[in-house]
Each structure stands twice: as C-alpha cells, then as structure tokens.
Amino acid sequence: ILLVARVGAIYLAQATLAAARYAEAEQIARFANFLHPWSADTLALRGVIALMSGSQERSIWFLQRSLALFPAAAATQAALSGALLSLGRGSAARIAAQQALELDPSCAVAFLYLAEAERIDGISALEVEDTLRSGLTVAQRADDVVALRCALAALLLSEDRAAEVSLMLGGLDRLIEHCTPAVQARLRFRYGELLLAHGQIDRAREYLQQTVMIDVSANAGSSFSSKI
C-alpha cells in the first residue's frame, strides 16, 4: 500500500510541477519523501522543484543526495548541472553535464547545460555550437528543442550570422505552445528578446505584448482556481 501511495504521489507531483504549481508540487513530493526517505527518485524530484522555484542551493542539496543513492541517473546529473550553472559554477556544471551524457548520450538538456558551461569557461564558439547542434540531433521534447534553438540563435547572433539566426527562430512561436507550462513563460520572453536582437522590432513588440497578456490571464485563472 505504501509503495502504491508513494508512486501515486510522485506521479501527481510531477504533473503538478509541469503545470508550474511549485508549492503544491513540493508538498506532494515531501509526502512521497516521508513515505520513503531514501528514494533517489523523490529526492531528485524535490531537487528539480527547488530549482524551478529559484532555490538553487536547496536544489543542489537534494540532487546530490539523490545521486549519492543512485549515481547512474542521467537526468539527475543534468539537473545538477543546471542548478550549478544558475549559481555561476561553470566548471562544476560542465563536469555534471558530461557525466550525464556519459550515462545517456541522448539527454538533450545535458547538451544545453554543457554548452552554457563551455561558454562560461571560455571554450571557442565553434565548439559550443557543435555541442548545441549535437543536442538538437537528439532532442525530442518541445521544451528541449526550443531551449536549444534559442541558445544556438543567441550564439549565431553574436557572430553576425543573420541568415542562420532566421532559420533557428523560424516557427519557434508555434513550437513554444507545445512546451510545458513550467517553462513556457521563460521561453516566450527569450524568444521575444531574440526577435528584438535580430532587428524584428515590431514582431518582437507584438509577441511580447501577447506574452504578457497570456501570462496575466494564466495567473488570474490560477488565482481564481485556488479560491474555489
């Protein structure tokens, strides 16, 4: 019975996290953790929730505990890389991303974090570009594809490769709509920033205005739902 309850709680917490309801996701994950304090899966989930909530140090603590129990989890290694990056710890993030890829060469988000860590460490733009393109060859989730294409577009912008930037940005607005709510707002704003940097000022203004309206509506709906 406890196993069924824990698995159900983890599933519900993951769904709640994907919907960007972080406080609720943490409450559910904490309950699952209570049922099994040494569950690597639950500790990793709490680490990801903390990371998405902006609690990077707390995230690292949970993720490292999870990896101590099960070091072969590529997704957890990748999440740790992301948490370390958010604190500016590029070298450590690079190692974690490389370990994630050794465990699972198809872990697209690990390529994203590795590329950013390489950029911070001063690796050549060509090598960073190769890393991002390698990630795109294995990416399947819309979240990963959009994030990688945005990162590659930013790199190409820095090298004045305008035609390639246009290719990277093409159709991203439609693809973003298939991303999970937890990352949609961030990706919308990033896409708008890239449009602006690419000189598409009117399109960027229109898109960002639409984004603000969508986010306001979503927040209003969430607030209303929490009261009923």
mmCIF file of all heavy atoms in Angstrom, residues 51 56 59-60 63 76-88 93 96-97 109 113:
data_model
loop_
_atom_site.group_PDB
_atom_site.id
_atom_site.type_symbol
_atom_site.label_atom_id
_atom_site.label_comp_id
_atom_site.label_asym_id
_atom_site.label_seq_id
_atom_site.Cartn_x
_atom_site.Cartn_y
_atom_site.Cartn_z
ATOM 1 N N LEU A 51 14.808 23.828 -7.923
ATOM 2 C CA LEU A 51 15.482 24.561 -8.992
ATOM 3 C C LEU A 51 14.493 25.441 -9.750
ATOM 4 O O LEU A 51 14.766 26.612 -10.011
ATOM 5 C CB LEU A 51 16.156 23.584 -9.956
ATOM 6 C CG LEU A 51 16.886 24.194 -11.162
ATOM 7 C CD1 LEU A 51 17.995 25.135 -10.701
ATOM 8 C CD2 LEU A 51 17.460 23.085 -12.046
ATOM 9 N N GLN A 56 18.287 27.497 -5.615
ATOM 10 C CA GLN A 56 19.374 26.728 -6.214
ATOM 11 C C GLN A 56 20.179 25.909 -5.201
ATOM 12 O O GLN A 56 20.497 24.748 -5.456
ATOM 13 C CB GLN A 56 20.305 27.666 -6.990
ATOM 14 C CG GLN A 56 19.685 28.269 -8.221
ATOM 15 C CD GLN A 56 18.994 29.589 -7.933
ATOM 16 O OE1 GLN A 56 18.763 29.947 -6.782
ATOM 17 N NE2 GLN A 56 18.670 30.333 -8.992
ATOM 18 N N SER A 59 18.220 23.025 -4.147
ATOM 19 C CA SER A 59 18.161 22.095 -5.260
ATOM 20 C C SER A 59 19.410 21.222 -5.312
ATOM 21 O O SER A 59 19.325 19.992 -5.443
ATOM 22 C CB SER A 59 18.009 22.853 -6.583
ATOM 23 O OG SER A 59 18.118 21.985 -7.678
ATOM 24 N N ILE A 60 20.572 21.840 -5.200
ATOM 25 C CA ILE A 60 21.837 21.102 -5.242
ATOM 26 C C ILE A 60 21.904 20.078 -4.111
ATOM 27 O O ILE A 60 22.342 18.940 -4.301
ATOM 28 C CB ILE A 60 23.027 22.075 -5.182
ATOM 29 C CG1 ILE A 60 23.110 22.872 -6.494
ATOM 30 C CG2 ILE A 60 24.336 21.336 -4.925
ATOM 31 C CD1 ILE A 60 24.113 24.001 -6.465
ATOM 32 N N LEU A 63 19.631 17.119 -5.050
ATOM 33 C CA LEU A 63 20.147 16.386 -6.203
ATOM 34 C C LEU A 63 21.402 15.588 -5.836
ATOM 35 O O LEU A 63 21.571 14.448 -6.279
ATOM 36 C CB LEU A 63 20.442 17.353 -7.346
ATOM 37 C CG LEU A 63 19.202 18.026 -7.955
ATOM 38 C CD1 LEU A 63 19.612 19.151 -8.894
ATOM 39 C CD2 LEU A 63 18.332 17.013 -8.681
ATOM 40 N N THR A 76 19.178 13.294 -13.415
ATOM 41 C CA THR A 76 19.545 13.958 -12.162
ATOM 42 C C THR A 76 20.885 14.669 -12.302
ATOM 43 O O THR A 76 21.058 15.793 -11.807
ATOM 44 C CB THR A 76 19.600 12.936 -11.011
ATOM 45 O OG1 THR A 76 18.358 12.224 -10.955
ATOM 46 C CG2 THR A 76 19.821 13.635 -9.680
ATOM 47 N N GLN A 77 21.835 14.038 -12.986
ATOM 48 C CA GLN A 77 23.119 14.690 -13.245
ATOM 49 C C GLN A 77 22.912 15.964 -14.067
ATOM 50 O O GLN A 77 23.538 16.998 -13.811
ATOM 51 C CB GLN A 77 24.056 13.743 -14.002
ATOM 52 C CG GLN A 77 24.620 12.599 -13.171
ATOM 53 C CD GLN A 77 25.769 13.036 -12.259
ATOM 54 O OE1 GLN A 77 26.078 14.219 -12.136
ATOM 55 N NE2 GLN A 77 26.405 12.071 -11.613
ATOM 56 N N ALA A 78 22.021 15.901 -15.054
ATOM 57 C CA ALA A 78 21.751 17.076 -15.883
ATOM 58 C C ALA A 78 21.101 18.186 -15.061
ATOM 59 O O ALA A 78 21.454 19.359 -15.208
ATOM 60 C CB ALA A 78 20.853 16.692 -17.057
ATOM 61 N N ALA A 79 20.164 17.809 -14.205
ATOM 62 C CA ALA A 79 19.518 18.811 -13.348
ATOM 63 C C ALA A 79 20.534 19.469 -12.418
ATOM 64 O O ALA A 79 20.480 20.684 -12.181
ATOM 65 C CB ALA A 79 18.402 18.156 -12.538
ATOM 66 N N LEU A 80 21.466 18.672 -11.897
ATOM 67 C CA LEU A 80 22.523 19.223 -11.043
ATOM 68 C C LEU A 80 23.368 20.220 -11.830
ATOM 69 O O LEU A 80 23.745 21.285 -11.318
ATOM 70 C CB LEU A 80 23.398 18.095 -10.501
ATOM 71 C CG LEU A 80 24.586 18.523 -9.644
ATOM 72 C CD1 LEU A 80 24.113 19.293 -8.412
ATOM 73 C CD2 LEU A 80 25.412 17.299 -9.231
ATOM 74 N N SER A 81 23.648 19.904 -13.089
ATOM 75 C CA SER A 81 24.404 20.826 -13.937
ATOM 76 C C SER A 81 23.657 22.155 -14.071
ATOM 77 O O SER A 81 24.258 23.231 -13.966
ATOM 78 C CB SER A 81 24.626 20.203 -15.315
ATOM 79 O OG SER A 81 25.304 21.104 -16.170
ATOM 80 N N GLY A 82 22.340 22.069 -14.278
ATOM 81 C CA GLY A 82 21.550 23.287 -14.396
ATOM 82 C C GLY A 82 21.559 24.105 -13.116
ATOM 83 O O GLY A 82 21.648 25.339 -13.153
ATOM 84 N N ALA A 83 21.475 23.441 -11.983
ATOM 85 C CA ALA A 83 21.494 24.135 -10.698
ATOM 86 C C ALA A 83 22.835 24.818 -10.467
ATOM 87 O O ALA A 83 22.907 25.963 -9.996
ATOM 88 C CB ALA A 83 21.190 23.151 -9.570
ATOM 89 N N LEU A 84 23.916 24.120 -10.795
ATOM 90 C CA LEU A 84 25.250 24.699 -10.635
ATOM 91 C C LEU A 84 25.447 25.897 -11.564
ATOM 92 O O LEU A 84 26.047 26.908 -11.175
ATOM 93 C CB LEU A 84 26.306 23.632 -10.917
ATOM 94 C CG LEU A 84 26.393 22.497 -9.892
ATOM 95 C CD1 LEU A 84 27.201 21.325 -10.429
ATOM 96 C CD2 LEU A 84 27.003 23.006 -8.584
ATOM 97 N N LEU A 85 24.921 25.791 -12.780
ATOM 98 C CA LEU A 85 25.018 26.912 -13.725
ATOM 99 C C LEU A 85 24.308 28.145 -13.189
ATOM 100 O O LEU A 85 24.787 29.272 -13.369
ATOM 101 C CB LEU A 85 24.388 26.515 -15.066
ATOM 102 C CG LEU A 85 25.290 25.852 -16.104
ATOM 103 C CD1 LEU A 85 24.467 25.467 -17.318
ATOM 104 C CD2 LEU A 85 26.436 26.773 -16.508
ATOM 105 N N SER A 86 23.167 27.937 -12.568
ATOM 106 C CA SER A 86 22.386 29.075 -12.064
ATOM 107 C C SER A 86 23.126 29.824 -10.968
ATOM 108 O O SER A 86 22.806 30.972 -10.671
ATOM 109 C CB SER A 86 21.026 28.601 -11.556
ATOM 110 O OG SER A 86 21.176 27.770 -10.412
ATOM 111 N N LEU A 87 24.129 29.181 -10.378
ATOM 112 C CA LEU A 87 24.955 29.831 -9.352
ATOM 113 C C LEU A 87 26.297 30.289 -9.921
ATOM 114 O O LEU A 87 27.175 30.710 -9.178
ATOM 115 C CB LEU A 87 25.181 28.876 -8.180
ATOM 116 C CG LEU A 87 23.938 28.533 -7.344
ATOM 117 C CD1 LEU A 87 24.281 27.516 -6.268
ATOM 118 C CD2 LEU A 87 23.354 29.796 -6.712
ATOM 119 N N GLY A 88 26.457 30.148 -11.249
ATOM 120 C CA GLY A 88 27.687 30.602 -11.893
ATOM 121 C C GLY A 88 28.864 29.673 -11.729
ATOM 122 O O GLY A 88 30.009 30.061 -11.993
ATOM 123 N N ALA A 93 29.473 22.609 -13.278
ATOM 124 C CA ALA A 93 28.318 22.322 -14.130
ATOM 125 C C ALA A 93 28.740 21.542 -15.367
ATOM 126 O O ALA A 93 28.032 20.637 -15.831
ATOM 127 C CB ALA A 93 27.640 23.628 -14.533
ATOM 128 N N ALA A 96 29.247 17.896 -14.424
ATOM 129 C CA ALA A 96 27.967 17.214 -14.215
ATOM 130 C C ALA A 96 27.277 16.922 -15.543
ATOM 131 O O ALA A 96 26.707 15.842 -15.741
ATOM 132 C CB ALA A 96 27.064 18.061 -13.316
ATOM 133 N N ALA A 97 27.324 17.878 -16.478
ATOM 134 C CA ALA A 97 26.701 17.670 -17.791
ATOM 135 C C ALA A 97 27.408 16.566 -18.566
ATOM 136 O O ALA A 97 26.767 15.729 -19.216
ATOM 137 C CB ALA A 97 26.720 18.971 -18.591
ATOM 138 N N VAL A 109 18.921 17.946 -22.701
ATOM 139 C CA VAL A 109 19.120 19.102 -21.829
ATOM 140 C C VAL A 109 20.550 19.157 -21.297
ATOM 141 O O VAL A 109 21.077 20.237 -21.005
ATOM 142 C CB VAL A 109 18.092 19.082 -20.674
ATOM 143 C CG1 VAL A 109 18.416 18.010 -19.652
ATOM 144 C CG2 VAL A 109 18.003 20.448 -19.997
ATOM 145 N N TYR A 113 23.110 22.470 -21.121
ATOM 146 C CA TYR A 113 23.877 22.924 -19.968
ATOM 147 C C TYR A 113 25.382 22.841 -20.227
ATOM 148 O O TYR A 113 26.143 23.705 -19.779
ATOM 149 C CB TYR A 113 23.508 22.106 -18.728
ATOM 150 C CG TYR A 113 22.076 22.275 -18.282
ATOM 151 C CD1 TYR A 113 21.362 21.221 -17.707
ATOM 152 C CD2 TYR A 113 21.416 23.489 -18.445
ATOM 153 C CE1 TYR A 113 20.059 21.374 -17.293
ATOM 154 C CE2 TYR A 113 20.101 23.653 -18.031
ATOM 155 C CZ TYR A 113 19.427 22.593 -17.456
ATOM 156 O OH TYR A 113 18.127 22.745 -17.055
#
